[in-house]
Amino acid sequence: MNTIMRKSVLGIAGLAFAGGIAGGPIAAHAATPAVDAKPVAVVQTDKVDKGKLIPHGTQGAQSRIDLNDEQTANVKAIIAATKKSGMDERAAVISIATSLQESKLENLGHLGDRNDHDSLGLFQQRPSSGWGTPEQITDPIYSTQAFLKGLKQVDGWQDMPLTEAAQTVQVSAYPDAYAQWEQQAADLVAQHWNS
């Protein structure tokens, strides 16, 4: 019996004994030689594959902001909506980076004179452009699902650089601005995808 197998068997036997389900008398284990136990690496299977989060590498200089509780809750809402839409971690990265650019992950109401037309919510979606009602657009789950519905309609979005995928959905006057948030978005997905 090899050393790894012996350690496994001894570990299971020890657990069974400690749990009160010993398979035989204590004396039966006395003849077993002591084994030099070493820690075994634990592999966690629910970790996010970071290579999948940024498959093309980041483009250009990256920006980063500190998030408050509301912004973190919006990150979690975007991730929940992404999962509910049956989409993967890359879709969440694109969604979060887009929201970081559009609203800094703040659920924006009407901004008065500073408002870009009638843009609202995490993604600055416009009721007049068919994104939904103001109430819908300011619901983080709804607005994310609306964004993801648009993303699903982009042929090959999975293989595009983030800024192209986001721009195809958003049609922004600043199409390259989304790229600066890719690293922070990927970090947030890695941190919150399984939480």
Side-chain angles (χ1 to χ4, degrees):
M1 184 181 293
N2 69 31
T3 305
I4 293 173
M5 181 65 109
R6 177 174 285 160
K7 288 180 184 178
S8 296
V9 170
L10 290 175
I12 292 169
L15 286 174
F17 178 76
I21 317 170
I26 296 174
H29 297 289
T32 306
V35 178
D36 182 23
K38 293 181 180 158
V40 177
V42 176
V43 178
Q44 189 172 355
T45 58
D46 61 349
K47 289 255 183 189
V48 174
D49 177 1
K50 292 194 178 187
K52 187 176 181 181
L53 299 178
I54 307 178
H56 306 288
T58 57
Q59 297 176 342
Q62 295 294 294
S63 297
R64 184 171 289 273
I65 60 171
D66 292 329
L67 303 184
N68 63 30
D69 290 344
E70 176 192 352
Q71 292 164 309
T72 301
N74 288 331
V75 165
K76 291 177 180 180
I78 289 171
I79 289 171
T82 303
K83 289 179 178 182
K84 188 173 182 179
S85 295
M87 297 181 79
D88 67 6
E89 295 94 330
R90 179 65 179 159
V93 170
I94 295 169
S95 300
I96 291 170
T98 301
S99 181
L100 276 162
Q101 175 57 32
E102 295 292 350
S103 68
K104 303 298 182 277
L105 288 166
E106 294 177 6
N107 197 5
L108 301 175
H110 194 279
L111 300 174
D113 291 340
R114 297 180 302 135
N115 207 33
D116 179 21
H117 308 288
D118 57 343
S119 300
L120 301 168
L122 295 174
F123 297 89
Q124 293 248 8
Q125 295 161 329
R126 299 175 59 193
S128 64
S129 295
W131 285 101
T133 66
E135 293 77 23
Q136 289 171 321
I137 291 171
T138 54
D139 176 308
I141 298 289
Y142 176 90
S143 63
T144 302
Q145 289 179 319
F147 174 80
L148 292 169
K149 182 178 178 185
L151 186 63
K152 282 181 184 179
Q153 295 173 4
V154 176
D155 283 337
W157 68 266
Q158 302 91 330
D159 301 318
M160 291 180 178
L162 180 141
T163 194
E164 279 183 48
Q167 173 61 10
T168 304
V169 177
Q170 293 293 105
V171 192
S172 170
Y174 306 98
D176 297 325
Y178 300 108
Q180 69 184 310
W181 301 106
E182 189 163 14
Q183 186 63 61
Q184 183 169 15
D187 292 344
L188 289 167
V189 171
Q191 180 181 356
H192 297 289
W193 184 261
N194 291 312
S195 62

